[in-house]
Amino acid sequence: MENKNKPIGIFDSGVGGLTVVNHLLEVLPNENFIFFADNANIPYGNKNKKHLKQLVIDDIRFVSKFDIKAIAIACNTADSVIDKKTKEIAKVDIIRPIKSTAKLAVKETKNKKIGVMATKATCLSKNYLKAINKYDDTIEVYQQPCPLLAGYIENQNCFNNEELMLEVLKQYLKPLLEKEVDTIILGCTHYPLALKYLTTLAKDINFVSSSLATVLEIEKLLKEKNLLADKVHLREFYTNGDIEEFKEKTDKFITKDINKIIKKSY
Ligand code: DGL
């Protein structure tokens, strides 16, 4: 197989990764991919660093069983623990969300105040803070851990109880709005699924999606390496959780009409 038509290995703890897949299908419609949802271990955001590192190594090993051309980490929390060792295990280029999302947000902010909504683990790593201030050290960054949010979105109870969803989001937004940020990074790939509610609560805020930023980074890398695909032949979704549940989620959250092959991971 030509290198360019090899699949990209993509992983997340769950449906957050599907928001990355949606942008991928939009921006790079010829790409092939192997998607892995580590549903057995969600939420990543409340786990300690050592445990997370092991999970990320396992994720990389799983997608690396396939003949892939690159790995896209569709998870900010996973990105926050990547180190030299994990990069070596990968063997192909790794595309990571945090730096590229930070770069987009730096371009967007006018008043130089950026809020970051992310998981507890991502906030603890301070990687967003460091990345933003590396681009511009005059920017004020306010992190807001949202420990309940990814789980709510994954289990979809937020969509059945909109009042509760709005209440939870209000609590997380409040400290950031009080700091008068004009831009908020959705620093967890699950959060763009709540964008409708967030924009209702904070109409003037510029929300920057880490899912879109990840795909723009994929595009940049593939262009640089002359690896843009020109033929669709492999798009498979794997889960180590309940396969029926995952099927329903892909039907609900993948916005393009594609042939979805869903398998249990091995
Ligand atoms: N979607 C993931 C992220 O971008 C993490 C969600 C979780 O499992 O806590 O951080």
PDB file of all heavy atoms in Angstrom, residues 12-17 38 41-47 52 73-79 97 118-120 122 146-147 149-151 154 186-191 210-211, ligand 1:
ATOM      1  N   ASP A  12      -8.901   8.046  21.836  1.00  0.00           N
ATOM      2  CA  ASP A  12      -9.398   8.875  22.948  1.00  0.00           C
ATOM      3  C   ASP A  12     -10.010   7.900  23.961  1.00  0.00           C
ATOM      4  O   ASP A  12     -10.126   6.702  23.702  1.00  0.00           O
ATOM      5  CB  ASP A  12     -10.459   9.870  22.441  1.00  0.00           C
ATOM      6  CG  ASP A  12     -11.034  10.735  23.562  1.00  0.00           C
ATOM      7  OD1 ASP A  12     -10.262  11.136  24.458  1.00  0.00           O
ATOM      8  OD2 ASP A  12     -12.257  11.004  23.569  1.00  0.00           O
ATOM      9  N   SER A  13     -10.428   8.457  25.095  1.00  0.00           N
ATOM     10  CA  SER A  13     -11.103   7.610  26.070  1.00  0.00           C
ATOM     11  C   SER A  13     -12.550   7.315  25.656  1.00  0.00           C
ATOM     12  O   SER A  13     -13.197   6.449  26.229  1.00  0.00           O
ATOM     13  CB  SER A  13     -11.110   8.307  27.433  1.00  0.00           C
ATOM     14  OG  SER A  13     -11.722   9.573  27.302  1.00  0.00           O
ATOM     15  N   GLY A  14     -13.071   8.059  24.675  1.00  0.00           N
ATOM     16  CA  GLY A  14     -14.470   7.833  24.291  1.00  0.00           C
ATOM     17  C   GLY A  14     -14.934   8.724  23.159  1.00  0.00           C
ATOM     18  O   GLY A  14     -14.192   8.950  22.196  1.00  0.00           O
ATOM     19  N   VAL A  15     -16.169   9.277  23.309  1.00  0.00           N
ATOM     20  CA  VAL A  15     -16.792   9.996  22.187  1.00  0.00           C
ATOM     21  C   VAL A  15     -16.104  11.322  21.831  1.00  0.00           C
ATOM     22  O   VAL A  15     -16.366  11.870  20.762  1.00  0.00           O
ATOM     23  CB  VAL A  15     -18.299  10.280  22.435  1.00  0.00           C
ATOM     24  CG1 VAL A  15     -19.078   8.987  22.519  1.00  0.00           C
ATOM     25  CG2 VAL A  15     -18.528  11.142  23.671  1.00  0.00           C
ATOM     26  N   GLY A  16     -15.245  11.822  22.727  1.00  0.00           N
ATOM     27  CA  GLY A  16     -14.511  13.040  22.401  1.00  0.00           C
ATOM     28  C   GLY A  16     -13.758  12.852  21.083  1.00  0.00           C
ATOM     29  O   GLY A  16     -13.733  13.741  20.228  1.00  0.00           O
ATOM     30  N   GLY A  17     -13.188  11.686  20.919  1.00  0.00           N
ATOM     31  CA  GLY A  17     -12.425  11.410  19.701  1.00  0.00           C
ATOM     32  C   GLY A  17     -13.284  11.500  18.446  1.00  0.00           C
ATOM     33  O   GLY A  17     -12.783  11.787  17.357  1.00  0.00           O
ATOM     34  N   ASP A  38     -11.023   4.002  24.296  1.00  0.00           N
ATOM     35  CA  ASP A  38     -10.682   3.240  25.505  1.00  0.00           C
ATOM     36  C   ASP A  38     -11.821   3.389  26.530  1.00  0.00           C
ATOM     37  O   ASP A  38     -11.619   3.864  27.640  1.00  0.00           O
ATOM     38  CB  ASP A  38      -9.348   3.775  26.061  1.00  0.00           C
ATOM     39  CG  ASP A  38      -8.807   2.932  27.206  1.00  0.00           C
ATOM     40  OD1 ASP A  38      -9.376   1.851  27.471  1.00  0.00           O
ATOM     41  OD2 ASP A  38      -7.825   3.361  27.839  1.00  0.00           O
ATOM     42  N   ASN A  41     -11.764   2.580  30.284  1.00  0.00           N
ATOM     43  CA  ASN A  41     -10.999   3.384  31.243  1.00  0.00           C
ATOM     44  C   ASN A  41     -11.426   4.847  31.335  1.00  0.00           C
ATOM     45  O   ASN A  41     -10.709   5.665  31.918  1.00  0.00           O
ATOM     46  CB  ASN A  41      -9.505   3.305  30.899  1.00  0.00           C
ATOM     47  CG  ASN A  41      -8.965   1.924  31.165  1.00  0.00           C
ATOM     48  OD1 ASN A  41      -8.993   1.440  32.296  1.00  0.00           O
ATOM     49  ND2 ASN A  41      -8.530   1.251  30.115  1.00  0.00           N
ATOM     50  N   ILE A  42     -12.565   5.184  30.748  1.00  0.00           N
ATOM     51  CA  ILE A  42     -13.023   6.568  30.853  1.00  0.00           C
ATOM     52  C   ILE A  42     -13.576   6.821  32.261  1.00  0.00           C
ATOM     53  O   ILE A  42     -14.154   5.907  32.836  1.00  0.00           O
ATOM     54  CB  ILE A  42     -14.090   6.877  29.767  1.00  0.00           C
ATOM     55  CG1 ILE A  42     -14.343   8.374  29.755  1.00  0.00           C
ATOM     56  CG2 ILE A  42     -15.369   6.075  29.934  1.00  0.00           C
ATOM     57  CD1 ILE A  42     -15.060   8.858  28.529  1.00  0.00           C
ATOM     58  N   PRO A  43     -13.389   7.963  32.912  1.00  0.00           N
ATOM     59  CA  PRO A  43     -12.713   9.150  32.401  1.00  0.00           C
ATOM     60  C   PRO A  43     -11.210   9.130  32.663  1.00  0.00           C
ATOM     61  O   PRO A  43     -10.763   8.725  33.729  1.00  0.00           O
ATOM     62  CB  PRO A  43     -13.384  10.262  33.207  1.00  0.00           C
ATOM     63  CG  PRO A  43     -13.744   9.626  34.516  1.00  0.00           C
ATOM     64  CD  PRO A  43     -14.032   8.186  34.207  1.00  0.00           C
ATOM     65  N   TYR A  44     -10.454   9.597  31.663  1.00  0.00           N
ATOM     66  CA  TYR A  44      -9.015   9.730  31.826  1.00  0.00           C
ATOM     67  C   TYR A  44      -8.683  10.879  32.789  1.00  0.00           C
ATOM     68  O   TYR A  44      -7.704  10.823  33.521  1.00  0.00           O
ATOM     69  CB  TYR A  44      -8.375  10.067  30.464  1.00  0.00           C
ATOM     70  CG  TYR A  44      -8.015   8.872  29.606  1.00  0.00           C
ATOM     71  CD1 TYR A  44      -8.479   7.598  29.889  1.00  0.00           C
ATOM     72  CD2 TYR A  44      -7.205   9.039  28.481  1.00  0.00           C
ATOM     73  CE1 TYR A  44      -8.149   6.521  29.081  1.00  0.00           C
ATOM     74  CE2 TYR A  44      -6.864   7.967  27.673  1.00  0.00           C
ATOM     75  CZ  TYR A  44      -7.341   6.717  27.978  1.00  0.00           C
ATOM     76  OH  TYR A  44      -6.992   5.652  27.182  1.00  0.00           O
ATOM     77  N   GLY A  45      -9.493  11.910  32.722  1.00  0.00           N
ATOM     78  CA  GLY A  45      -9.177  13.177  33.385  1.00  0.00           C
ATOM     79  C   GLY A  45      -9.025  13.111  34.890  1.00  0.00           C
ATOM     80  O   GLY A  45      -8.404  13.984  35.489  1.00  0.00           O
ATOM     81  N   ASN A  46      -9.595  12.085  35.519  1.00  0.00           N
ATOM     82  CA  ASN A  46      -9.503  11.996  36.984  1.00  0.00           C
ATOM     83  C   ASN A  46      -8.454  10.976  37.437  1.00  0.00           C
ATOM     84  O   ASN A  46      -8.369  10.661  38.620  1.00  0.00           O
ATOM     85  CB  ASN A  46     -10.875  11.649  37.571  1.00  0.00           C
ATOM     86  CG  ASN A  46     -11.917  12.707  37.218  1.00  0.00           C
ATOM     87  OD1 ASN A  46     -11.567  13.846  36.908  1.00  0.00           O
ATOM     88  ND2 ASN A  46     -13.186  12.342  37.225  1.00  0.00           N
ATOM     89  N   LYS A  47      -7.662  10.471  36.487  1.00  0.00           N
ATOM     90  CA  LYS A  47      -6.646   9.459  36.843  1.00  0.00           C
ATOM     91  C   LYS A  47      -5.297  10.130  37.156  1.00  0.00           C
ATOM     92  O   LYS A  47      -5.026  11.231  36.693  1.00  0.00           O
ATOM     93  CB  LYS A  47      -6.475   8.477  35.696  1.00  0.00           C
ATOM     94  CG  LYS A  47      -7.784   7.762  35.364  1.00  0.00           C
ATOM     95  CD  LYS A  47      -7.577   6.419  34.784  1.00  0.00           C
ATOM     96  CE  LYS A  47      -8.772   5.508  34.817  1.00  0.00           C
ATOM     97  NZ  LYS A  47     -10.088   6.093  34.763  1.00  0.00           N
ATOM     98  N   LEU A  52      -2.269   7.155  33.894  1.00  0.00           N
ATOM     99  CA  LEU A  52      -2.557   7.726  32.564  1.00  0.00           C
ATOM    100  C   LEU A  52      -1.478   7.369  31.549  1.00  0.00           C
ATOM    101  O   LEU A  52      -1.788   6.991  30.414  1.00  0.00           O
ATOM    102  CB  LEU A  52      -2.598   9.249  32.671  1.00  0.00           C
ATOM    103  CG  LEU A  52      -3.965   9.897  32.801  1.00  0.00           C
ATOM    104  CD1 LEU A  52      -3.807  11.389  32.996  1.00  0.00           C
ATOM    105  CD2 LEU A  52      -4.814   9.612  31.572  1.00  0.00           C
ATOM    106  N   ILE A  73      -3.488  11.998  18.509  1.00  0.00           N
ATOM    107  CA  ILE A  73      -3.997  11.846  19.864  1.00  0.00           C
ATOM    108  C   ILE A  73      -5.216  12.756  20.000  1.00  0.00           C
ATOM    109  O   ILE A  73      -5.086  13.974  20.065  1.00  0.00           O
ATOM    110  CB  ILE A  73      -2.904  12.194  20.897  1.00  0.00           C
ATOM    111  CG1 ILE A  73      -1.724  11.257  20.651  1.00  0.00           C
ATOM    112  CG2 ILE A  73      -3.446  12.082  22.315  1.00  0.00           C
ATOM    113  CD1 ILE A  73      -0.669  11.271  21.682  1.00  0.00           C
ATOM    114  N   ALA A  74      -6.385  12.135  19.999  1.00  0.00           N
ATOM    115  CA  ALA A  74      -7.631  12.915  20.026  1.00  0.00           C
ATOM    116  C   ALA A  74      -8.068  13.152  21.466  1.00  0.00           C
ATOM    117  O   ALA A  74      -9.260  13.084  21.791  1.00  0.00           O
ATOM    118  CB  ALA A  74      -8.706  12.184  19.231  1.00  0.00           C
ATOM    119  N   CYS A  75      -7.104  13.416  22.318  1.00  0.00           N
ATOM    120  CA  CYS A  75      -7.374  13.522  23.751  1.00  0.00           C
ATOM    121  C   CYS A  75      -6.326  14.421  24.398  1.00  0.00           C
ATOM    122  O   CYS A  75      -5.133  14.105  24.387  1.00  0.00           O
ATOM    123  CB  CYS A  75      -7.311  12.119  24.353  1.00  0.00           C
ATOM    124  SG  CYS A  75      -7.508  12.099  26.138  1.00  0.00           S
ATOM    125  N   ASN A  76      -6.778  15.535  24.947  1.00  0.00           N
ATOM    126  CA  ASN A  76      -5.859  16.474  25.599  1.00  0.00           C
ATOM    127  C   ASN A  76      -5.217  15.862  26.837  1.00  0.00           C
ATOM    128  O   ASN A  76      -4.049  16.105  27.143  1.00  0.00           O
ATOM    129  CB  ASN A  76      -6.617  17.736  26.014  1.00  0.00           C
ATOM    130  CG  ASN A  76      -7.144  18.511  24.829  1.00  0.00           C
ATOM    131  OD1 ASN A  76      -6.537  19.466  24.395  1.00  0.00           O
ATOM    132  ND2 ASN A  76      -8.282  18.094  24.271  1.00  0.00           N
ATOM    133  N   THR A  77      -6.003  15.076  27.561  1.00  0.00           N
ATOM    134  CA  THR A  77      -5.507  14.474  28.800  1.00  0.00           C
ATOM    135  C   THR A  77      -4.353  13.521  28.485  1.00  0.00           C
ATOM    136  O   THR A  77      -3.331  13.513  29.189  1.00  0.00           O
ATOM    137  CB  THR A  77      -6.647  13.737  29.521  1.00  0.00           C
ATOM    138  OG1 THR A  77      -7.778  14.606  29.578  1.00  0.00           O
ATOM    139  CG2 THR A  77      -6.254  13.323  30.910  1.00  0.00           C
ATOM    140  N   ALA A  78      -4.513  12.738  27.415  1.00  0.00           N
ATOM    141  CA  ALA A  78      -3.436  11.831  26.997  1.00  0.00           C
ATOM    142  C   ALA A  78      -2.215  12.650  26.583  1.00  0.00           C
ATOM    143  O   ALA A  78      -1.082  12.343  26.972  1.00  0.00           O
ATOM    144  CB  ALA A  78      -3.918  10.956  25.849  1.00  0.00           C
ATOM    145  N   ASP A  79      -2.454  13.716  25.834  1.00  0.00           N
ATOM    146  CA  ASP A  79      -1.350  14.575  25.391  1.00  0.00           C
ATOM    147  C   ASP A  79      -0.563  15.120  26.592  1.00  0.00           C
ATOM    148  O   ASP A  79       0.658  15.247  26.553  1.00  0.00           O
ATOM    149  CB  ASP A  79      -1.925  15.732  24.553  1.00  0.00           C
ATOM    150  CG  ASP A  79      -0.839  16.634  23.974  1.00  0.00           C
ATOM    151  OD1 ASP A  79       0.345  16.347  24.192  1.00  0.00           O
ATOM    152  OD2 ASP A  79      -1.181  17.628  23.315  1.00  0.00           O
ATOM    153  N   PRO A  97      -2.872  17.566  20.494  1.00  0.00           N
ATOM    154  CA  PRO A  97      -3.795  18.714  20.475  1.00  0.00           C
ATOM    155  C   PRO A  97      -3.347  19.987  21.191  1.00  0.00           C
ATOM    156  O   PRO A  97      -3.687  21.093  20.755  1.00  0.00           O
ATOM    157  CB  PRO A  97      -5.065  18.174  21.150  1.00  0.00           C
ATOM    158  CG  PRO A  97      -4.651  16.965  21.904  1.00  0.00           C
ATOM    159  CD  PRO A  97      -3.390  16.448  21.296  1.00  0.00           C
ATOM    160  N   ALA A 118     -10.740  22.252  30.908  1.00  0.00           N
ATOM    161  CA  ALA A 118     -10.075  20.976  30.608  1.00  0.00           C
ATOM    162  C   ALA A 118     -10.293  20.015  31.771  1.00  0.00           C
ATOM    163  O   ALA A 118     -10.892  20.376  32.795  1.00  0.00           O
ATOM    164  CB  ALA A 118      -8.580  21.217  30.378  1.00  0.00           C
ATOM    165  N   THR A 119      -9.784  18.807  31.617  1.00  0.00           N
ATOM    166  CA  THR A 119      -9.915  17.837  32.707  1.00  0.00           C
ATOM    167  C   THR A 119      -8.943  18.220  33.832  1.00  0.00           C
ATOM    168  O   THR A 119      -8.031  19.030  33.631  1.00  0.00           O
ATOM    169  CB  THR A 119      -9.584  16.414  32.228  1.00  0.00           C
ATOM    170  OG1 THR A 119      -8.212  16.373  31.839  1.00  0.00           O
ATOM    171  CG2 THR A 119     -10.473  15.979  31.068  1.00  0.00           C
ATOM    172  N   LYS A 120      -9.160  17.560  34.958  1.00  0.00           N
ATOM    173  CA  LYS A 120      -8.298  17.827  36.108  1.00  0.00           C
ATOM    174  C   LYS A 120      -6.826  17.521  35.767  1.00  0.00           C
ATOM    175  O   LYS A 120      -5.928  18.313  36.051  1.00  0.00           O
ATOM    176  CB  LYS A 120      -8.780  16.924  37.267  1.00  0.00           C
ATOM    177  CG  LYS A 120      -8.448  17.429  38.625  1.00  0.00           C
ATOM    178  CD  LYS A 120      -9.204  16.589  39.650  1.00  0.00           C
ATOM    179  CE  LYS A 120      -8.237  15.985  40.622  1.00  0.00           C
ATOM    180  NZ  LYS A 120      -8.759  14.864  41.379  1.00  0.00           N
ATOM    181  N   THR A 122      -5.323  17.421  32.852  1.00  0.00           N
ATOM    182  CA  THR A 122      -4.745  18.385  31.897  1.00  0.00           C
ATOM    183  C   THR A 122      -4.393  19.682  32.617  1.00  0.00           C
ATOM    184  O   THR A 122      -3.316  20.252  32.408  1.00  0.00           O
ATOM    185  CB  THR A 122      -5.733  18.648  30.733  1.00  0.00           C
ATOM    186  OG1 THR A 122      -6.011  17.412  30.092  1.00  0.00           O
ATOM    187  CG2 THR A 122      -5.156  19.621  29.719  1.00  0.00           C
ATOM    188  N   CYS A 146     -12.766  20.743  34.908  1.00  0.00           N
ATOM    189  CA  CYS A 146     -14.199  20.404  34.807  1.00  0.00           C
ATOM    190  C   CYS A 146     -14.350  18.900  35.033  1.00  0.00           C
ATOM    191  O   CYS A 146     -14.621  18.139  34.083  1.00  0.00           O
ATOM    192  CB  CYS A 146     -14.732  20.776  33.430  1.00  0.00           C
ATOM    193  SG  CYS A 146     -14.369  22.467  32.915  1.00  0.00           S
ATOM    194  N   PRO A 147     -14.159  18.423  36.266  1.00  0.00           N
ATOM    195  CA  PRO A 147     -14.071  16.982  36.507  1.00  0.00           C
ATOM    196  C   PRO A 147     -15.321  16.172  36.140  1.00  0.00           C
ATOM    197  O   PRO A 147     -15.215  14.981  35.875  1.00  0.00           O
ATOM    198  CB  PRO A 147     -13.774  16.887  38.011  1.00  0.00           C
ATOM    199  CG  PRO A 147     -14.017  18.232  38.577  1.00  0.00           C
ATOM    200  CD  PRO A 147     -13.892  19.219  37.474  1.00  0.00           C
ATOM    201  N   LEU A 149     -17.487  16.930  33.569  1.00  0.00           N
ATOM    202  CA  LEU A 149     -18.033  17.188  32.241  1.00  0.00           C
ATOM    203  C   LEU A 149     -17.867  16.061  31.207  1.00  0.00           C
ATOM    204  O   LEU A 149     -18.841  15.694  30.536  1.00  0.00           O
ATOM    205  CB  LEU A 149     -17.440  18.508  31.717  1.00  0.00           C
ATOM    206  CG  LEU A 149     -18.197  19.192  30.588  1.00  0.00           C
ATOM    207  CD1 LEU A 149     -19.679  19.312  30.882  1.00  0.00           C
ATOM    208  CD2 LEU A 149     -17.596  20.573  30.326  1.00  0.00           C
ATOM    209  N   ALA A 150     -16.661  15.514  31.098  1.00  0.00           N
ATOM    210  CA  ALA A 150     -16.447  14.477  30.074  1.00  0.00           C
ATOM    211  C   ALA A 150     -17.354  13.269  30.347  1.00  0.00           C
ATOM    212  O   ALA A 150     -17.958  12.705  29.426  1.00  0.00           O
ATOM    213  CB  ALA A 150     -14.985  14.051  30.046  1.00  0.00           C
ATOM    214  N   GLY A 151     -17.482  12.897  31.614  1.00  0.00           N
ATOM    215  CA  GLY A 151     -18.339  11.764  31.984  1.00  0.00           C
ATOM    216  C   GLY A 151     -19.800  12.036  31.641  1.00  0.00           C
ATOM    217  O   GLY A 151     -20.491  11.164  31.102  1.00  0.00           O
ATOM    218  N   GLU A 154     -20.079  11.751  27.899  1.00  0.00           N
ATOM    219  CA  GLU A 154     -19.928  10.365  27.461  1.00  0.00           C
ATOM    220  C   GLU A 154     -21.203   9.567  27.757  1.00  0.00           C
ATOM    221  O   GLU A 154     -21.691   8.806  26.934  1.00  0.00           O
ATOM    222  CB  GLU A 154     -18.731   9.729  28.187  1.00  0.00           C
ATOM    223  CG  GLU A 154     -18.402   8.322  27.739  1.00  0.00           C
ATOM    224  CD  GLU A 154     -17.744   8.266  26.351  1.00  0.00           C
ATOM    225  OE1 GLU A 154     -17.056   9.225  25.965  1.00  0.00           O
ATOM    226  OE2 GLU A 154     -17.933   7.246  25.665  1.00  0.00           O
ATOM    227  N   LEU A 186     -11.648  24.913  24.562  1.00  0.00           N
ATOM    228  CA  LEU A 186     -12.313  23.669  24.973  1.00  0.00           C
ATOM    229  C   LEU A 186     -11.216  22.605  24.939  1.00  0.00           C
ATOM    230  O   LEU A 186     -10.994  21.933  23.926  1.00  0.00           O
ATOM    231  CB  LEU A 186     -13.478  23.352  24.035  1.00  0.00           C
ATOM    232  CG  LEU A 186     -14.576  24.429  24.001  1.00  0.00           C
ATOM    233  CD1 LEU A 186     -15.712  24.036  23.068  1.00  0.00           C
ATOM    234  CD2 LEU A 186     -15.121  24.699  25.412  1.00  0.00           C
ATOM    235  N   GLY A 187     -10.508  22.513  26.059  1.00  0.00           N
ATOM    236  CA  GLY A 187      -9.301  21.701  26.143  1.00  0.00           C
ATOM    237  C   GLY A 187      -9.560  20.256  26.498  1.00  0.00           C
ATOM    238  O   GLY A 187      -8.763  19.613  27.193  1.00  0.00           O
ATOM    239  N   CYS A 188     -10.669  19.745  26.028  1.00  0.00           N
ATOM    240  CA  CYS A 188     -11.005  18.317  26.131  1.00  0.00           C
ATOM    241  C   CYS A 188     -11.885  18.073  24.917  1.00  0.00           C
ATOM    242  O   CYS A 188     -12.802  18.864  24.644  1.00  0.00           O
ATOM    243  CB  CYS A 188     -11.767  18.027  27.426  1.00  0.00           C
ATOM    244  SG  CYS A 188     -12.557  16.385  27.450  1.00  0.00           S
ATOM    245  N   THR A 189     -11.590  16.999  24.189  1.00  0.00           N
ATOM    246  CA  THR A 189     -12.299  16.789  22.922  1.00  0.00           C
ATOM    247  C   THR A 189     -13.774  16.420  23.117  1.00  0.00           C
ATOM    248  O   THR A 189     -14.548  16.455  22.165  1.00  0.00           O
ATOM    249  CB  THR A 189     -11.590  15.704  22.088  1.00  0.00           C
ATOM    250  OG1 THR A 189     -11.402  14.538  22.913  1.00  0.00           O
ATOM    251  CG2 THR A 189     -10.242  16.203  21.594  1.00  0.00           C
ATOM    252  N   HIS A 190     -14.149  16.086  24.352  1.00  0.00           N
ATOM    253  CA  HIS A 190     -15.582  15.847  24.609  1.00  0.00           C
ATOM    254  C   HIS A 190     -16.387  17.154  24.589  1.00  0.00           C
ATOM    255  O   HIS A 190     -17.562  17.157  24.249  1.00  0.00           O
ATOM    256  CB  HIS A 190     -15.778  15.203  25.994  1.00  0.00           C
ATOM    257  CG  HIS A 190     -15.532  13.720  26.024  1.00  0.00           C
ATOM    258  ND1 HIS A 190     -14.282  13.171  25.854  1.00  0.00           N
ATOM    259  CD2 HIS A 190     -16.381  12.677  26.231  1.00  0.00           C
ATOM    260  CE1 HIS A 190     -14.369  11.856  25.951  1.00  0.00           C
ATOM    261  NE2 HIS A 190     -15.633  11.523  26.179  1.00  0.00           N
ATOM    262  N   TYR A 191     -15.758  18.243  24.997  1.00  0.00           N
ATOM    263  CA  TYR A 191     -16.516  19.474  25.258  1.00  0.00           C
ATOM    264  C   TYR A 191     -17.192  20.104  24.041  1.00  0.00           C
ATOM    265  O   TYR A 191     -18.259  20.713  24.204  1.00  0.00           O
ATOM    266  CB  TYR A 191     -15.641  20.516  25.975  1.00  0.00           C
ATOM    267  CG  TYR A 191     -15.033  20.078  27.297  1.00  0.00           C
ATOM    268  CD1 TYR A 191     -14.085  20.866  27.950  1.00  0.00           C
ATOM    269  CD2 TYR A 191     -15.402  18.876  27.916  1.00  0.00           C
ATOM    270  CE1 TYR A 191     -13.525  20.482  29.163  1.00  0.00           C
ATOM    271  CE2 TYR A 191     -14.824  18.478  29.118  1.00  0.00           C
ATOM    272  CZ  TYR A 191     -13.888  19.278  29.732  1.00  0.00           C
ATOM    273  OH  TYR A 191     -13.317  18.889  30.925  1.00  0.00           O
ATOM    274  N   SER A 210     -10.348  22.132  20.683  1.00  0.00           N
ATOM    275  CA  SER A 210      -9.116  21.347  20.537  1.00  0.00           C
ATOM    276  C   SER A 210      -9.300  20.245  19.489  1.00  0.00           C
ATOM    277  O   SER A 210      -8.323  19.715  18.958  1.00  0.00           O
ATOM    278  CB  SER A 210      -8.699  20.746  21.886  1.00  0.00           C
ATOM    279  OG  SER A 210      -9.731  19.965  22.441  1.00  0.00           O
ATOM    280  N   SER A 211     -10.542  19.918  19.172  1.00  0.00           N
ATOM    281  CA  SER A 211     -10.795  18.870  18.164  1.00  0.00           C
ATOM    282  C   SER A 211     -10.455  19.405  16.771  1.00  0.00           C
ATOM    283  O   SER A 211      -9.781  18.733  15.978  1.00  0.00           O
ATOM    284  CB  SER A 211     -12.264  18.439  18.206  1.00  0.00           C
ATOM    285  OG  SER A 211     -12.621  18.117  19.526  1.00  0.00           O
TER     286      SER A 211
HETATM  287  N1  DGL B   1     -11.521  13.613  25.669  1.00  0.00           N
HETATM  288  C1  DGL B   1     -10.445  13.629  26.577  1.00  0.00           C
HETATM  289  C2  DGL B   1      -9.633  14.905  26.508  1.00  0.00           C
HETATM  290  O1  DGL B   1      -9.542  15.524  25.470  1.00  0.00           O
HETATM  291  C3  DGL B   1     -10.608  13.176  27.994  1.00  0.00           C
HETATM  292  C4  DGL B   1     -11.898  12.854  28.614  1.00  0.00           C
HETATM  293  C5  DGL B   1     -11.714  11.969  29.839  1.00  0.00           C
HETATM  294  O2  DGL B   1     -11.650  10.754  29.619  1.00  0.00           O
HETATM  295  O3  DGL B   1     -11.615  12.506  30.947  1.00  0.00           O
HETATM  296  O4  DGL B   1      -9.026  15.310  27.475  1.00  0.00           O
END
